[in-house]
Every structure is written in C-alpha cells, then in structure tokens.
Amino acid sequence: GAVVSQHPSRVICKSGTSVKIECRSLDFQATTMFWYRQFPKKSLMLMATSNEGSKATYEQGVEKDKFLINHASLTLSTLTVTSAHPEDSSFYICSAIPPGTDINYGYTFGSGTRLTVV
Amino acid sequence: DAKTTQPPSMDCAEGRAANLPCNHSTISGNEYVYWYRQIHSQGPQYIIHGLKNNETNEMASLIITEDRKSSTLILPHATLRDTAVYYCIVRVNAGNMLTFGGGTRLMVKP
C-alpha cells in the first residue's frame, strides 16, 4: 500500500537552532500534505496544510514564520522549525492522501518525528 | 464537524472483545463516523468508518445506533498489539482534513 516516510524519526537540537523534518510520499504523488503536532499524552493537532507549488495554509495560532513549510515537489514536503525552543519539543506527524483512494479513509500517516529541544 | 466524546481509558483482557464507545449526539445527517488508532510513537492508522449501517472489516466492527448519536468500535479478539489510543472522528465526507479528539487509551492485558 501507499507509504508516507518521515525523516528523521528522532532529533535532538540545541535551543535557538533550526530543524528540518522531511515528509515523502513513496510510490505516489501528493499535491496536499498535512502536518500535525502532538504533545505527550495529548491528541494530534493540525498545524498546517501543505500545498505543492503554493503557500501552506496554517491553522489559527500556528506561527508561519516559525514553522516553515515547503512543498516543492509532488513527493516531498518539509517542515522547518526555526529558532527552536524547548516548548517546541513535540511529536510531529505528516499525512497525505494517495490519488485515487477514497478521501474518507485514504489518509496515510508518516511514522512521526520526535523533536527534543535542549 | 460534530464533536465526539470518548472515555479516556479502558482495559481489556487479551483474547476478549474490546468494545470502545463514542458519543456524537450532535452528528449531522451527512457526517460519517471514522475510527483511527495510534500505537505509541507511531502515526495514526485507519480502522473503519460508517454512515448509519453497521460495518465490519478484517480489523474491527462498527456498530452505530439507530439515532446515530453514538457508536461502538468492537475488536473481536483483542491482542497485546491492539494496545493503542483509539480516536472516534465525525466528519463530512468531503472534508479535507481530520480533526482528532482526546481518544480512548486501550490497554490490552495478558
């Protein structure tokens, strides 16, 4: 079946540095990808919708200058956490819907990236 | 999309059926009920969805009440690997994103 790959799976960075997370759709092209954030023992919260070739759409309260999203190709979306702080430590998950699949259950999620800012 | 209410946690004995309830009393006529689960430190996984009829697939069964105000996900023979957080989501078919609530943390015990 369709696979969404995230890299890295875990990353530790120093406060003030930037971290890039990659989300790749394997064996299919995704014009739209979704980025979620999940704090410990909390539910997933949608951060932004990534659109290939255009600007991402951010959810209310998510700083677009802090969480830079680039969807430059049909198989790759990247999330860059800029000037990371300890409160940005979280589990980041992306998802995509393979074309031709039912939008109702076709969501495929990546395995997530655990970011720890020290 | 309608809001859902789920118990925060449940236990189930291995080999037994796990019945996970979900209340969605404000569901609209065109909203479906979806179930996803998330095993620790992994991305969510689709389980099943339905509109008003009961549904069954290789993973689970979904029972929706006649008034559609609540539903139950049934894992017929729970295994240790079914330990996860189960999310009940209600949304319109044509919606383009998933909104996750608190979910139920199911612990399957030997």
Side-chain angles (χ1 to χ4, degrees):
Chain A
V3 175
V4 171
S5 174
Q6 263 185 260
H7 178 81
S9 57
R10 291 175 180 270
V11 58
I12 300 173
C13 72
K14 291 184 177 181
S15 186
T17 62
S18 296
V19 174
K20 180 184 286 188
I21 301 170
E22 294 186 346
C23 180
R24 293 182 184 274
S25 56
L26 306 182
D27 299 327
F28 73 95
Q29 295 180 331
T31 55
T32 302
M33 291 185 177
F34 305 94
W35 286 96
Y36 291 83
R37 178 170 53 183
Q38 185 176 33
F39 292 107
K41 296 191 177 182
K42 298 294 184 181
S43 188
L44 287 81
M45 298 297 294
L46 180 68
M47 297 177 66
T49 301
S50 171
N51 303 298
E52 188 270 335
S54 64
K55 292 182 179 180
T57 303
Y58 290 82
E59 295 300 301
Q60 190 173 11
V62 178
E63 300 176 58
K64 60 182 180 181
D65 294 331
K66 181 170 183 61
F67 298 99
L68 301 180
I69 292 175
N70 186 290
H71 195 153
S73 78
L74 288 171
T75 59
L76 174 65
S77 175
T78 61
L79 168 66
T80 301
V81 183
T82 63
S83 187
H85 291 284
E87 55 265 32
D88 297 325
S89 298
S90 188
F91 192 52
Y92 293 86
I93 308 169
C94 69
S95 73
I97 304 173
T101 59
D102 192 323
I103 192 173
N104 303 309
Y105 59 86
Y107 290 90
T108 300
F109 288 83
S111 54
T113 297
R114 186 162 302 283
L115 170 64
T116 303
V117 184
V118 298
Chain B
D1 293 337
K3 184 178 178 181
T4 62
T5 304
Q6 299 176 253
S9 64
M10 290 182 64
D11 290 345
C12 177
E14 187 179 19
R16 297 283 201 172
N19 298 298
L20 293 93
C22 179
N23 284 326
H24 31 80
S25 59
T26 60
I27 191 170
S28 300
N30 61 345
E31 289 182 311
Y32 284 64
V33 180
Y34 297 82
W35 284 84
Y36 281 74
R37 74 178 182 184
Q38 185 182 22
I39 295 171
H40 182 63
S41 293
Q42 295 183 25
Q45 175 191 21
Y46 166 83
I47 301 174
I48 199 167
H49 79 285
L51 181 62
K52 53 183 178 181
N53 296 325
N54 298 336
E55 303 288 344
T56 296
N57 62 21
E58 65 277 4
M59 291 183 68
S61 294
L62 174 60
I63 308 298
I64 303 174
T65 58
E66 193 168 341
D67 62 7
R68 302 210 321 124
K69 293 184 177 182
S70 65
S71 60
T72 301
L73 178 74
I74 301 173
L75 308 178
H77 306 286
T79 70
L80 299 178
R81 282 179 287 187
D82 291 322
T83 291
V85 178
Y86 287 77
Y87 294 99
C88 170
I89 300 170
V90 174
R91 60 187 282 271
V92 176
N93 231 11
N96 208 23
M97 63 184 186
L98 294 174
T99 301
F100 291 84
T104 296
R105 189 173 297 273
L106 176 68
M107 180 73 72
V108 181
K109 298 182 176 180

